[in-house]
Amino acid sequence: MAKESSFDIVSKIDMSEVTNAVTMATKEIITRYDFKGSKSSITFENEELVLVSDDEYKLEQLKDVLISKLIKRDVSIKNLDYGKLEGASGGTVRQRAKLIQGIDKEHAKKINTIIKNSGVKVKSQIQDDQIRVTGKNRDDLQAIIAAIRGANLTIDVQFINYR
């Protein structure tokens, strides 16, 4: 019997890169002329980014700075889930951005549907917050990876443990 090959589909964020991006964005905010004298800040606390600024317009600019720094650090912005705007102390506005890690049941079902609709003979199995795909032929696994990359998922996925 031929040995089966497999890989795992995961959705993870490198937290050290997020911390670096927040630090770089904070440095840029301090030096930018349009943020002089404003109460704008970005903090990173327990898997959540907290953006605070004077008004909605400055908050959107703050988001743009943060997103540009995250992209430079190769952190996908698909895994950011922005909450609603809320008033903060001192007449400022606050918005929280939750960092999504792992594949939830809804996205796992979508990925399994993509795998089944591809017509390739492989098996997929949901394991907590990741999906294991096994098959006899490595070319089949490559086809599955291409199909998932081609699908327009709302989360960023990585392929690890390719054996």
Side-chain angles (χ1 to χ4, degrees):
M1 182 168 162
K3 181 181 166 227
E4 288 204 340
S5 300
S6 68
F7 68 89
D8 295 332
I9 304 170
V10 297
S11 180
K12 293 190 178 178
I13 298 175
D14 187 358
M15 290 302 171
S16 61
E17 292 296 338
V18 173
T19 305
N20 291 339
V22 168
T23 304
M24 290 171 60
T26 303
K27 284 181 183 177
E28 183 173 327
I29 291 164
I30 291 170
T31 59
R32 272 181 52 167
Y33 178 76
D34 53 343
F35 283 107
K36 290 278 188 227
S38 76
K39 300 172 187 162
S40 300
S41 68
I42 303 171
T43 55
F44 181 55
E45 45 194 54
N46 52 3
E47 307 266 330
E48 206 170 50
L49 296 170
V50 181
L51 291 86
V52 178
S53 193
D54 297 335
D55 53 37
E56 288 184 44
Y57 177 72
K58 278 214 170 101
L59 189 73
E60 289 301 317
Q61 288 181 322
L62 195 62
K63 270 198 236 178
D64 288 343
V65 170
L66 176 64
I67 288 171
S68 71
K69 299 303 177 193
L70 287 171
I71 290 172
K72 282 183 183 176
R73 306 295 297 180
D74 288 329
V75 177
S76 175
I77 57 173
K78 283 184 173 183
N79 290 13
L80 286 177
D81 183 26
Y82 290 102
K84 60 181 174 56
L85 280 173
E86 51 193 54
S89 63
T92 59
V93 291
R94 177 186 322 136
Q95 189 171 26
R96 296 182 183 275
K98 188 177 179 187
L99 296 169
I100 302 170
Q101 292 213 65
I103 301 173
D104 61 348
K105 296 290 181 197
E106 178 185 325
H107 287 102
K109 287 180 183 177
K110 283 183 188 176
I111 292 171
N112 271 339
T113 304
I114 293 167
I115 292 170
K116 283 184 178 40
N117 291 343
S118 69
V120 180
K121 286 192 169 191
V122 294
K123 291 179 268 183
S124 62
Q125 182 179 20
I126 300 172
Q127 299 174 340
D128 293 331
D129 60 349
Q130 67 182 22
I131 300 171
R132 166 134 325 146
V133 180
T134 58
K136 292 183 179 174
N137 190 346
R138 285 184 174 238
D139 292 337
D140 292 346
L141 296 180
Q142 291 288 345
I144 295 298
I145 291 173
I148 292 171
R149 280 197 177 128
N152 193 13
L153 295 173
T154 56
I155 60 169
D156 185 45
V157 294
Q158 297 88 30
F159 306 98
I160 62 170
N161 298 335
Y162 186 79
R163 300 183 208 117

